[in-house]
Amino acid sequence: MSVTTAAPATTAAPATTTTTVAMVVEGATVIVANGNIVGGSASRMSDALALEGFTVGTPGNGTEKVDESVVYHVDDPTAQAVAETLAVKLGGVVIEPLPEAPPLEGEFTGGVLLLLGNAQADKSIAELSDAASSADATQNDGSTVVVANASGIDGSAGRMTDQLETAGFTVGSPTNSTGVVTESVVYYESDAAKTDADVLAAAMGDPKVLPLPDDVPTESGTLDGDILLVLGADEADKSLADLAD
């Protein structure tokens, strides 16, 4: 009597966790607020975004002037996805949750608020996207970067993770560091990741690059990646363009 033996079950290797930005332009209304010194730029940006497929509302004036644009979103997954897409289109600007007092004159009735800064005013979407493309051209070998929040600013590790992915880095899930620091530090786990760590440091304004210590400065005490960026207060919530200057 022959006996058929079932083949042993195989377990797939766990996939590397990465942060992805889905291109979502529908589902939330984008309001552009003029946060720069160029009159009429909010209206012109609204027209440009409409051509890209975004749903746009009536533009207005911001309550402050900024050099770099900021994209704010309400507490809604679709609005956040639209905000992330918009940030990518603008070259990788910072994304933040909408504050209780939105930086807009008058009432805010949309899902996403773009505070349009001097650096993006009256530039075409193509020009701004080219800025992201040039960042994508940064040569790195795909080492996974994990950002650990050591800035004391809630959500800053997640926002930096989004920026780094837009710039072409492979990123893992953000986490928290074991303490608060002023200046960021880039740690690499192996010699193979050292080159990518140097590329990351150059994009961040050249913080220190060091071998990963035995006591990994994350809440878990481990690193699920190849490079650990301990994000300090000096670099938190700044754009890569600002940091690289």
Side-chain angles (χ1 to χ4, degrees):
M1 180 182 205
S2 61
V3 178
T4 302
T5 303
T10 58
T11 302
T16 301
T17 301
T18 59
T19 301
T20 59
V21 179
M23 292 292 113
V24 179
V25 297
E26 298 179 341
T29 299
V30 178
I31 305 295
V32 183
N34 193 334
N36 60 78
I37 60 174
V38 184
S41 60
S43 178
R44 291 186 287 274
M45 177 58 76
S46 295
D47 292 342
L49 293 178
L51 291 174
E52 293 288 321
F54 291 91
T55 301
V56 297
T58 303
N61 290 317
T63 56
E64 57 184 297
K65 303 297 184 189
V66 294
D67 287 328
E68 291 287 339
S69 299
V70 181
V71 177
Y72 299 96
H73 62 84
V74 298
D75 186 13
D76 173 79
T78 302
Q80 182 174 349
V82 172
E84 290 171 347
T85 300
L86 176 57
V88 169
K89 293 282 188 181
L90 297 178
V93 301
V94 171
I95 307 168
E96 295 185 6
L98 188 74
E100 290 186 11
L104 172 71
E105 292 181 0
E107 184 181 3
F108 175 66
T109 58
V112 176
L113 174 64
L114 166 60
L115 182 63
L116 185 62
N118 290 312
Q120 290 76 29
D122 275 356
K123 290 185 179 177
S124 69
I125 301 297
E127 286 178 301
L128 295 170
S129 295
D130 282 345
S133 297
S134 64
D136 287 343
T138 300
Q139 295 299 311
N140 63 80
D141 293 328
S143 300
T144 298
V145 178
V146 174
V147 184
N149 192 343
S151 69
I153 302 172
D154 290 344
S156 61
R159 292 187 286 273
M160 179 56 72
T161 297
D162 289 341
Q163 286 201 73
L164 292 176
E165 188 185 29
T166 299
F169 291 92
T170 301
V171 295
S173 298
T175 185
N176 289 316
S177 186
T178 51
V180 176
V181 299
T182 301
E183 297 181 352
S184 299
V185 181
V186 176
Y187 294 103
Y188 57 92
E189 188 175 37
S190 65
D191 290 342
K194 173 64 163 59
T195 299
D196 282 353
D198 289 336
V199 172
L200 174 60
M204 295 287 300
D206 292 320
K208 289 182 180 178
V209 179
L210 301 171
L212 188 71
D214 292 335
D215 293 329
V216 180
T218 62
E219 281 187 339
S220 66
T222 61
L223 172 61
D224 188 17
D226 307 294
I227 296 170
L228 177 65
L229 167 59
V230 176
L231 184 65
D234 282 357
E235 289 77 30
D237 282 349
K238 292 183 180 177
S239 70
L240 293 180
D242 281 343
L243 294 172
D245 285 343

